[in-house]
PDB file of all heavy atoms in Angstrom:
ATOM      1  N   ASP W 112     254.624 -43.533-111.490  1.00 91.00           N
ATOM      2  CA  ASP W 112     255.324 -42.523-112.130  1.00 91.00           C
ATOM      3  C   ASP W 112     256.628 -42.136-111.437  1.00 91.00           C
ATOM      4  O   ASP W 112     256.827 -42.700-110.312  1.00 91.00           O
ATOM      5  CB  ASP W 112     254.517 -41.248-112.360  1.00 91.00           C
ATOM      6  CG  ASP W 112     254.883 -40.409-113.525  1.00 91.00           C
ATOM      7  OD1 ASP W 112     255.931 -40.823-114.175  1.00 91.00           O
ATOM      8  OD2 ASP W 112     254.345 -39.384-113.866  1.00 91.00           O
ATOM      9  N   TRP W 113     257.477 -41.443-111.968  1.00 89.00           N
ATOM     10  CA  TRP W 113     258.665 -41.054-111.308  1.00 89.00           C
ATOM     11  C   TRP W 113     258.661 -39.576-110.875  1.00 89.00           C
ATOM     12  O   TRP W 113     258.313 -38.745-111.686  1.00 89.00           O
ATOM     13  CB  TRP W 113     259.907 -41.355-112.223  1.00 89.00           C
ATOM     14  CG  TRP W 113     260.279 -42.685-112.149  1.00 89.00           C
ATOM     15  CD1 TRP W 113     259.715 -43.741-112.882  1.00 89.00           C
ATOM     16  CD2 TRP W 113     261.262 -43.333-111.343  1.00 89.00           C
ATOM     17  NE1 TRP W 113     260.270 -45.035-112.512  1.00 89.00           N
ATOM     18  CE2 TRP W 113     261.248 -44.727-111.551  1.00 89.00           C
ATOM     19  CE3 TRP W 113     262.179 -42.869-110.418  1.00 89.00           C
ATOM     20  CZ2 TRP W 113     262.151 -45.506-110.904  1.00 89.00           C
ATOM     21  CZ3 TRP W 113     262.984 -43.705-109.727  1.00 89.00           C
ATOM     22  CH2 TRP W 113     262.960 -45.131-110.026  1.00 89.00           C
ATOM     23  N   GLY W 114     259.139 -39.251-109.641  1.00 83.00           N
ATOM     24  CA  GLY W 114     259.209 -37.959-109.210  1.00 83.00           C
ATOM     25  C   GLY W 114     260.509 -37.426-109.727  1.00 83.00           C
ATOM     26  O   GLY W 114     261.476 -38.292-110.002  1.00 83.00           O
ATOM     27  N   HIS W 115     260.617 -36.162-109.867  1.00 78.00           N
ATOM     28  CA  HIS W 115     261.863 -35.523-110.451  1.00 78.00           C
ATOM     29  C   HIS W 115     262.358 -34.458-109.578  1.00 78.00           C
ATOM     30  O   HIS W 115     261.695 -33.797-108.872  1.00 78.00           O
ATOM     31  CB  HIS W 115     261.490 -34.898-111.867  1.00 78.00           C
ATOM     32  CG  HIS W 115     261.085 -35.948-112.868  1.00 78.00           C
ATOM     33  ND1 HIS W 115     261.974 -36.773-113.536  1.00 78.00           N
ATOM     34  CD2 HIS W 115     259.850 -36.250-113.338  1.00 78.00           C
ATOM     35  CE1 HIS W 115     261.368 -37.551-114.401  1.00 78.00           C
ATOM     36  NE2 HIS W 115     259.985 -37.306-114.227  1.00 78.00           N
ATOM     37  N   HIS W 116     263.708 -34.420-109.572  1.00 78.00           N
ATOM     38  CA  HIS W 116     264.410 -33.438-108.752  1.00 78.00           C
ATOM     39  C   HIS W 116     264.045 -32.018-109.240  1.00 78.00           C
ATOM     40  O   HIS W 116     264.015 -31.799-110.504  1.00 78.00           O
ATOM     41  CB  HIS W 116     265.859 -33.577-108.874  1.00 78.00           C
ATOM     42  CG  HIS W 116     266.647 -32.846-107.864  1.00 78.00           C
ATOM     43  ND1 HIS W 116     267.091 -31.605-108.032  1.00 78.00           N
ATOM     44  CD2 HIS W 116     267.089 -33.168-106.558  1.00 78.00           C
ATOM     45  CE1 HIS W 116     267.777 -31.120-106.995  1.00 78.00           C
ATOM     46  NE2 HIS W 116     267.793 -32.089-106.096  1.00 78.00           N
ATOM     47  N   LYS W 117     263.805 -31.085-108.322  1.00 81.00           N
ATOM     48  CA  LYS W 117     263.330 -29.825-108.751  1.00 81.00           C
ATOM     49  C   LYS W 117     264.266 -29.032-109.602  1.00 81.00           C
ATOM     50  O   LYS W 117     263.879 -28.331-110.513  1.00 81.00           O
ATOM     51  CB  LYS W 117     262.981 -28.983-107.482  1.00 81.00           C
ATOM     52  CG  LYS W 117     262.182 -27.781-107.582  1.00 81.00           C
ATOM     53  CD  LYS W 117     262.001 -27.089-106.288  1.00 81.00           C
ATOM     54  CE  LYS W 117     260.597 -26.697-106.046  1.00 81.00           C
ATOM     55  NZ  LYS W 117     260.321 -25.970-104.770  1.00 81.00           N
ATOM     56  N   GLU W 118     265.561 -29.084-109.276  1.00 82.00           N
ATOM     57  CA  GLU W 118     266.497 -28.313-109.973  1.00 82.00           C
ATOM     58  C   GLU W 118     267.148 -28.973-111.273  1.00 82.00           C
ATOM     59  O   GLU W 118     267.311 -28.384-112.237  1.00 82.00           O
ATOM     60  CB  GLU W 118     267.605 -27.804-109.046  1.00 82.00           C
ATOM     61  CG  GLU W 118     267.040 -26.930-107.907  1.00 82.00           C
ATOM     62  CD  GLU W 118     268.099 -26.718-106.781  1.00 82.00           C
ATOM     63  OE1 GLU W 118     269.168 -27.345-106.863  1.00 82.00           O
ATOM     64  OE2 GLU W 118     267.706 -25.964-105.789  1.00 82.00           O
ATOM     65  N   THR W 119     267.438 -30.251-110.979  1.00 83.00           N
ATOM     66  CA  THR W 119     268.161 -30.987-112.123  1.00 83.00           C
ATOM     67  C   THR W 119     267.235 -31.738-113.115  1.00 83.00           C
ATOM     68  O   THR W 119     267.564 -31.956-114.268  1.00 83.00           O
ATOM     69  CB  THR W 119     269.111 -32.065-111.571  1.00 83.00           C
ATOM     70  OG1 THR W 119     268.392 -33.034-110.816  1.00 83.00           O
ATOM     71  CG2 THR W 119     270.162 -31.411-110.643  1.00 83.00           C
ATOM     72  N   GLY W 120     266.067 -31.909-112.623  1.00 78.00           N
ATOM     73  CA  GLY W 120     265.020 -32.680-113.511  1.00 78.00           C
ATOM     74  C   GLY W 120     265.302 -34.135-113.557  1.00 78.00           C
ATOM     75  O   GLY W 120     264.673 -34.876-114.355  1.00 78.00           O
ATOM     76  N   GLU W 121     266.281 -34.680-112.771  1.00 80.00           N
ATOM     77  CA  GLU W 121     266.618 -36.122-112.813  1.00 80.00           C
ATOM     78  C   GLU W 121     265.551 -36.872-112.098  1.00 80.00           C
ATOM     79  O   GLU W 121     265.023 -36.426-111.046  1.00 80.00           O
ATOM     80  CB  GLU W 121     268.000 -36.376-112.242  1.00 80.00           C
ATOM     81  CG  GLU W 121     269.063 -35.582-112.959  1.00 80.00           C
ATOM     82  CD  GLU W 121     270.240 -36.419-113.277  1.00 80.00           C
ATOM     83  OE1 GLU W 121     270.219 -37.594-112.903  1.00 80.00           O
ATOM     84  OE2 GLU W 121     271.138 -35.942-114.016  1.00 80.00           O
ATOM     85  N   PRO W 122     265.198 -38.101-112.499  1.00 78.00           N
ATOM     86  CA  PRO W 122     264.304 -38.944-111.745  1.00 78.00           C
ATOM     87  C   PRO W 122     264.765 -39.285-110.293  1.00 78.00           C
ATOM     88  O   PRO W 122     265.989 -39.574-110.141  1.00 78.00           O
ATOM     89  CB  PRO W 122     264.092 -40.242-112.515  1.00 78.00           C
ATOM     90  CG  PRO W 122     264.978 -40.114-113.746  1.00 78.00           C
ATOM     91  CD  PRO W 122     265.701 -38.740-113.674  1.00 78.00           C
ATOM     92  N   THR W 123     263.917 -39.121-109.327  1.00 82.00           N
ATOM     93  CA  THR W 123     264.309 -39.393-107.940  1.00 82.00           C
ATOM     94  C   THR W 123     263.882 -40.717-107.399  1.00 82.00           C
ATOM     95  O   THR W 123     264.641 -41.546-106.908  1.00 82.00           O
ATOM     96  CB  THR W 123     263.972 -38.259-107.035  1.00 82.00           C
ATOM     97  OG1 THR W 123     262.601 -38.005-107.158  1.00 82.00           O
ATOM     98  CG2 THR W 123     264.692 -36.959-107.431  1.00 82.00           C
ATOM     99  N   LEU W 124     262.562 -40.925-107.384  1.00 86.00           N
ATOM    100  CA  LEU W 124     262.049 -42.063-106.721  1.00 86.00           C
ATOM    101  C   LEU W 124     260.652 -42.381-107.397  1.00 86.00           C
ATOM    102  O   LEU W 124     259.876 -41.496-107.872  1.00 86.00           O
ATOM    103  CB  LEU W 124     261.872 -41.918-105.281  1.00 86.00           C
ATOM    104  CG  LEU W 124     260.728 -41.095-104.779  1.00 86.00           C
ATOM    105  CD1 LEU W 124     260.296 -41.603-103.396  1.00 86.00           C
ATOM    106  CD2 LEU W 124     261.196 -39.687-104.578  1.00 86.00           C
ATOM    107  N   PRO W 125     260.263 -43.726-107.476  1.00 89.00           N
ATOM    108  CA  PRO W 125     258.906 -44.037-107.964  1.00 89.00           C
ATOM    109  C   PRO W 125     257.837 -43.787-106.998  1.00 89.00           C
ATOM    110  O   PRO W 125     257.991 -43.946-105.758  1.00 89.00           O
ATOM    111  CB  PRO W 125     259.107 -45.536-108.218  1.00 89.00           C
ATOM    112  CG  PRO W 125     260.061 -45.939-107.245  1.00 89.00           C
ATOM    113  CD  PRO W 125     260.991 -44.831-106.991  1.00 89.00           C
ATOM    114  N   ILE W 126     256.817 -43.155-107.522  1.00 88.00           N
ATOM    115  CA  ILE W 126     255.578 -42.875-106.680  1.00 88.00           C
ATOM    116  C   ILE W 126     254.296 -43.338-107.294  1.00 88.00           C
ATOM    117  O   ILE W 126     254.297 -43.550-108.536  1.00 88.00           O
ATOM    118  CB  ILE W 126     255.452 -41.250-106.465  1.00 88.00           C
ATOM    119  CG1 ILE W 126     255.352 -40.561-107.753  1.00 88.00           C
ATOM    120  CG2 ILE W 126     256.530 -40.770-105.579  1.00 88.00           C
ATOM    121  CD1 ILE W 126     255.047 -39.120-107.646  1.00 88.00           C
ATOM    122  N   VAL W 127     253.293 -43.577-106.461  1.00 92.00           N
ATOM    123  CA  VAL W 127     252.005 -44.001-107.040  1.00 92.00           C
ATOM    124  C   VAL W 127     251.355 -42.587-107.428  1.00 92.00           C
ATOM    125  O   VAL W 127     251.028 -41.864-106.509  1.00 92.00           O
ATOM    126  CB  VAL W 127     251.251 -44.635-105.979  1.00 92.00           C
ATOM    127  CG1 VAL W 127     249.755 -44.886-106.522  1.00 92.00           C
ATOM    128  CG2 VAL W 127     251.798 -46.057-105.615  1.00 92.00           C
ATOM    129  N   ALA W 128     251.194 -42.439-108.640  1.00 90.00           N
ATOM    130  CA  ALA W 128     250.589 -41.166-109.175  1.00 90.00           C
ATOM    131  C   ALA W 128     249.060 -41.143-109.094  1.00 90.00           C
ATOM    132  O   ALA W 128     248.437 -40.137-108.850  1.00 90.00           O
ATOM    133  CB  ALA W 128     251.028 -40.910-110.619  1.00 90.00           C
ATOM    134  N   GLU W 129     248.481 -42.445-109.177  1.00 89.00           N
ATOM    135  CA  GLU W 129     247.007 -42.506-109.233  1.00 89.00           C
ATOM    136  C   GLU W 129     246.564 -43.951-108.807  1.00 89.00           C
ATOM    137  O   GLU W 129     247.168 -44.897-109.157  1.00 89.00           O
ATOM    138  CB  GLU W 129     246.465 -42.206-110.640  1.00 89.00           C
ATOM    139  CG  GLU W 129     245.037 -42.227-110.805  1.00 89.00           C
ATOM    140  CD  GLU W 129     244.688 -41.795-112.179  1.00 89.00           C
ATOM    141  OE1 GLU W 129     245.529 -41.638-113.032  1.00 89.00           O
ATOM    142  OE2 GLU W 129     243.475 -41.665-112.390  1.00 89.00           O
ATOM    143  N   LEU W 130     245.447 -43.968-107.936  1.00 91.00           N
ATOM    144  CA  LEU W 130     244.809 -45.236-107.715  1.00 91.00           C
ATOM    145  C   LEU W 130     243.757 -45.511-108.763  1.00 91.00           C
ATOM    146  O   LEU W 130     242.943 -44.593-108.853  1.00 91.00           O
ATOM    147  CB  LEU W 130     244.139 -45.190-106.394  1.00 91.00           C
ATOM    148  CG  LEU W 130     245.005 -45.111-105.122  1.00 91.00           C
ATOM    149  CD1 LEU W 130     244.237 -45.021-103.865  1.00 91.00           C
ATOM    150  CD2 LEU W 130     245.978 -46.336-105.039  1.00 91.00           C
ATOM    151  N   LEU W 131     243.953 -46.408-109.717  1.00 90.00           N
ATOM    152  CA  LEU W 131     243.044 -46.625-110.785  1.00 90.00           C
ATOM    153  C   LEU W 131     241.761 -47.405-110.401  1.00 90.00           C
ATOM    154  O   LEU W 131     240.699 -47.033-110.724  1.00 90.00           O
ATOM    155  CB  LEU W 131     243.736 -47.363-111.941  1.00 90.00           C
ATOM    156  CG  LEU W 131     245.039 -46.595-112.442  1.00 90.00           C
ATOM    157  CD1 LEU W 131     245.692 -47.409-113.485  1.00 90.00           C
ATOM    158  CD2 LEU W 131     244.561 -45.227-113.040  1.00 90.00           C
ATOM    159  N   GLU W 132     242.002 -48.537-109.643  1.00 88.00           N
ATOM    160  CA  GLU W 132     240.779 -49.372-109.305  1.00 88.00           C
ATOM    161  C   GLU W 132     241.120 -50.272-108.265  1.00 88.00           C
ATOM    162  O   GLU W 132     242.239 -50.788-108.099  1.00 88.00           O
ATOM    163  CB  GLU W 132     240.511 -50.193-110.604  1.00 88.00           C
ATOM    164  CG  GLU W 132     239.328 -51.170-110.448  1.00 88.00           C
ATOM    165  CD  GLU W 132     239.201 -51.998-111.621  1.00 88.00           C
ATOM    166  OE1 GLU W 132     239.959 -52.044-112.631  1.00 88.00           O
ATOM    167  OE2 GLU W 132     238.124 -52.804-111.666  1.00 88.00           O
ATOM    168  N   HIS W 133     240.149 -50.454-107.298  1.00 87.00           N
ATOM    169  CA  HIS W 133     240.338 -51.421-106.246  1.00 87.00           C
ATOM    170  C   HIS W 133     239.860 -52.794-106.761  1.00 87.00           C
ATOM    171  O   HIS W 133     238.763 -53.074-107.189  1.00 87.00           O
ATOM    172  CB  HIS W 133     239.342 -51.081-105.104  1.00 87.00           C
ATOM    173  CG  HIS W 133     239.611 -51.759-103.787  1.00 87.00           C
ATOM    174  ND1 HIS W 133     238.669 -52.186-103.037  1.00 87.00           N
ATOM    175  CD2 HIS W 133     240.781 -52.256-103.249  1.00 87.00           C
ATOM    176  CE1 HIS W 133     239.146 -52.780-101.912  1.00 87.00           C
ATOM    177  NE2 HIS W 133     240.479 -52.752-102.049  1.00 87.00           N
ATOM    178  N   VAL W 134     240.936 -53.628-106.861  1.00 87.00           N
ATOM    179  CA  VAL W 134     240.788 -54.931-107.522  1.00 87.00           C
ATOM    180  C   VAL W 134     240.257 -56.063-106.654  1.00 87.00           C
ATOM    181  O   VAL W 134     239.296 -56.750-107.004  1.00 87.00           O
ATOM    182  CB  VAL W 134     242.065 -55.445-108.252  1.00 87.00           C
ATOM    183  CG1 VAL W 134     242.046 -56.674-108.944  1.00 87.00           C
ATOM    184  CG2 VAL W 134     242.587 -54.296-109.164  1.00 87.00           C
ATOM    185  N   ALA W 135     240.818 -56.238-105.518  1.00 83.00           N
ATOM    186  CA  ALA W 135     240.452 -57.401-104.603  1.00 83.00           C
ATOM    187  C   ALA W 135     240.792 -56.939-103.190  1.00 83.00           C
ATOM    188  O   ALA W 135     241.442 -55.958-102.885  1.00 83.00           O
ATOM    189  CB  ALA W 135     241.186 -58.612-104.967  1.00 83.00           C
TER     190      ALA W 135
END
Side-chain angles (χ1 to χ4, degrees):
D112 203 357
W113 278 82
H115 295 284
H116 193 273
K117 195 181 223 178
E118 295 167 0
T119 63
E121 303 231 354
T123 55
L124 72 151
I126 57 170
V127 174
E129 184 179 4
L130 294 178
L131 300 173
E132 180 184 6
H133 192 214
V134 178

